[in-house]
């Protein structure tokens, strides 16, 4: 099958080519994202392969249909950037990679906790300038601390297992409880109870109408003074302007985020030669107890390899008419219609 692959980075191409060993599918790689301006690049292909940053609106879908595109395949779990209804109306199938490596994201959340706690990002810069002082580098033991997990799906469960290994007390909030976690000693609480007793909170729920701005001034007001908040889920689960206020009041003690509400204009881009227009992220970066990574939690060899393998399998299943659990059915859009 001929597939136009958009928004590709050099590191992905190697993995996609390896997964397509034998050249079963004809892959055309584009750096460009898929939008109304780049639509002509799809001519002569049967499928497009995109990322969350490619905004696949109704207009784009109508034009894809006119170019005889039959499949939109996402190299991500999320699909909130695709107008699923419009695709269904045009008889274009949408597929995705629902799971690749929960451990990759869970381990990144833990790395944010450790770096913020033990201030390794400060020590790295300091030592390079021959400053070997310990001033302001004091951390705290994780063992014995209470860690609150919001969302105990695949990633939340992997994260909980790691924190239990550190000797933490792990508590959780989810609309659906996991028996597996309960057997491991994790206690489920209400959201408010979790806020009140956690020393560290890590967010692992999806972005939905219910979770958008779940962490707002009300939630920050309920949290322990000086607690740590980690978000590797979706940026808009935190109301960023309220987080800034909580940091200014020292109510929030530490913030580690791999996702950000306005990330589509920033992340995955080298803006080092530009003037960044996003005042909110600039304010966040000015706090020395805030650590931001550019949506890299998924970015391990194992996860990128798995994404490539599933992506190529999706092309093959589609071509052979094999029903796939990776197909996004229209009902699922109710879950994730909000952009991150
Ligand atoms: P999952 O579907 O396995 O688990 C999500 C959990 O959240 C489920 O247990 C669900 O019941 C729970 N949930 C849903 N609504 C909730 C609510 N209102 N309150 C509390 N809990 C709720 O998903 P997953 O694979 O564990 O992924 C979790 C999230 O991580 C994804 O939605 C995505 O946003 C994010 N993610 C981030 C990266 C990254 O690189 N930073 C990569 C992959 C996924």
């Amino acid at each position: 099958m001929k597939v136009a692959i958009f928004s590709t980075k050099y590191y992905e191409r190697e993995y996609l080519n390896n997964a397509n060993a034998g050249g079963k599918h004809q892959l055309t790689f584009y750096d460009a994202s898929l939008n109304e301006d780049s639509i002509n690049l799809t001519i002569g292909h049967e499928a497009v392969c995109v990322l969350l940053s490619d905004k696949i609106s109704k207009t784009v879908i109508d034009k894809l249909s006119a170019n005889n595109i039959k499949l939109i395949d996402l190299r991500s779990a999320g699909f909130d950037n695709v107008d699923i209804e419009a695709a269904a109306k045009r008889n274009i199938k949408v597929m995705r990679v629902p799971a690749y490596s929960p451990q990759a994201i869970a381990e990144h959340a833990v790395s944010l906790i450790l770096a913020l706690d033990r201030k390794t990002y400060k020590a790295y810069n300091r030592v390079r300038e021959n400053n070997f002082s310990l001033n302001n580098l004091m951390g705290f033991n994780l063992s014995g601390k209470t860690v609150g997990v919001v969302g105990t799906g695949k990633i939340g469960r992997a994260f909980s297992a790691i924190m239990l290994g550190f000797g933490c007390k792990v508590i959780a909030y989810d609309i659906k409880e996991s028996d597996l976690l309960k057997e491991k000693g994790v206690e489920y609480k209400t959201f408010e109870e979790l806020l009140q007793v956690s020393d560290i909170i890590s967010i692992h729920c999806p972005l939905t109408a219910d979770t958008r701005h779940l962490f707002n001034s009300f939630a920050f007001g309920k949290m322990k003074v000086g607690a740590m908040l980690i978000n590797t889920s979706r940026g808009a689960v935190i109301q960023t302007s309220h987080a800034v206020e909580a940091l200014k009041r020292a109510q929030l003690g530490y913030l580690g985020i791999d996702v950000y509400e306005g990330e589509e204009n920033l992340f995955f881009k080298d803006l080092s030669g530009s003037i960044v227009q996003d005042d909110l992220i600039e304010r966040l970066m000015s706090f020395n107890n805030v650590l931001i990574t550019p949506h890299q939690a998924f970015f391990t060899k194992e996860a990128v390899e798995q994404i490539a393998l599933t992506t190529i399998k999706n092309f093959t299943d589609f071509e052979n008419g094999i029903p796939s659990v990776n197909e996004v059915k229209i009902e699922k859009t109710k879950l994730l219609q909000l952009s991150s």
Side-chain angles (χ1 to χ4, degrees):
M1 187 164 67
K2 287 184 172 178
V3 190
I5 309 192
F6 287 87
S7 302
T8 54
K9 304 282 182 220
Y10 74 92
Y11 45 77
E12 274 186 294
R13 295 182 184 195
E14 182 192 336
Y15 285 90
L16 285 163
N17 280 329
N18 287 345
N20 189 37
K24 184 167 170 33
H25 301 289
Q26 221 174 300
L27 313 180
T28 315
F29 294 109
Y30 295 115
D31 293 345
S33 50
L34 178 56
N35 54 41
E36 287 176 53
D37 299 330
S38 59
I39 206 90
N40 283 347
L41 297 174
T42 67
I43 293 171
H45 297 86
E46 297 152 83
V48 294
C49 182
V50 296
L51 287 179
L52 267 180
S53 49
D54 298 295
K55 297 290 170 224
I56 317 299
S57 62
K58 180 182 177 302
T59 316
V60 170
I61 285 169
D62 289 345
K63 291 185 175 171
L64 287 176
S65 174
N67 287 350
N68 288 321
I69 295 296
K70 302 282 179 237
L71 169 70
I72 298 168
D73 189 36
L74 289 135
R75 306 196 293 290
S76 63
F79 49 87
D80 29 315
N81 56 323
V82 180
D83 187 331
I84 305 293
E85 271 184 56
K89 273 190 197 142
R90 292 288 183 182
N91 208 16
I92 297 178
K93 219 170 236 189
V94 180
M95 295 177 86
R96 65 181 182 133
V97 183
Y100 29 96
S101 175
Q103 282 73 24
I105 295 99
E107 289 172 15
H108 190 76
V110 176
S111 80
L112 290 175
I113 293 173
L114 286 169
L116 280 166
D117 169 13
R118 305 309 293 264
K119 302 167 181 63
T120 40
Y121 58 105
K122 286 187 194 171
Y124 172 79
N125 287 324
R126 189 181 283 194
V127 167
R128 283 161 67 91
E129 294 191 358
N130 295 328
N131 177 352
F132 302 99
S133 145
L134 293 185
N135 287 346
N136 299 317
L137 291 186
M138 187 181 281
F140 57 86
N141 285 6
L142 286 176
S143 177
K145 295 294 180 297
T146 299
V147 177
V149 184
V150 176
T152 52
K154 293 176 284 299
I155 298 170
R157 288 196 297 274
F159 172 81
S160 301
I162 301 171
M163 298 320 290
L164 287 168
F166 273 108
C168 297
K169 177 179 164 64
V170 178
I171 59 170
Y173 166 69
D174 196 309
I175 49 174
K176 216 171 89 194
E177 300 188 357
S178 155
D179 291 336
L180 209 78
L181 277 190
K182 286 200 255 186
E183 279 164 27
K184 287 184 175 170
V186 173
E187 267 181 58
Y188 278 87
K189 304 272 184 197
T190 64
F191 181 57
E192 207 166 317
E193 282 166 350
L194 179 141
L195 293 174
Q196 284 164 352
V197 299
S198 298
D199 300 297
I200 298 168
I201 296 175
S202 194
I203 305 174
H204 299 291
C205 60
L207 177 65
T208 65
D210 291 336
T211 63
R212 177 176 285 273
H213 292 171
L214 185 63
F215 283 83
N216 53 19
S217 54
F218 174 80
F220 290 123
K222 294 280 171 197
M223 282 170 67
K224 267 188 173 180
V225 173
M228 182 187 293
L229 180 63
I230 302 293
N231 188 10
T232 55
S233 160
R234 283 288 182 268
V237 178
I238 296 180
Q239 189 152 10
T240 316
S241 56
H242 292 191
V244 166
E245 288 308 314
L247 285 159
K248 279 164 76 177
R249 289 198 315 273
Q251 168 78 36
L252 186 57
Y254 310 80
L255 178 67
I257 55 172
D258 184 54
V259 286
Y260 168 66
E261 284 192 90
E263 71 176 59
E264 56 277 6
N265 299 323
L266 303 167
F267 288 8
F268 307 130
K269 296 176 184 154
D270 178 359
L271 301 177
S272 53
S274 322
I275 298 187
V276 171
Q277 299 297 322
D278 187 323
D279 292 348
L280 207 49
I281 198 160
E282 294 296 316
R283 182 67 182 103
L284 272 185
M285 288 190 295
S286 72
F287 293 102
N288 63 15
N289 52 353
V290 172
L291 189 50
I292 303 172
T293 53
H295 208 136
Q296 71 181 79
F298 76 97
F299 199 47
T300 64
K301 277 191 273 187
E302 291 80 359
V304 174
E305 185 172 43
Q306 192 54 53
I307 291 169
L309 287 169
T310 307
T311 297
I312 299 294
K313 185 173 182 308
N314 284 350
F315 299 159
T316 306
D317 286 349
F318 173 79
E319 194 173 38
N320 296 332
I322 298 170
S324 170
V325 288
N326 298 344
E327 187 183 332
V328 180
K329 304 273 195 209
I330 203 152
E331 315 84 72
K332 288 188 186 166
T333 57
K334 291 194 183 97
L335 181 70
L336 250 180
Q337 266 298 331
L338 304 162
S339 61
S340 56

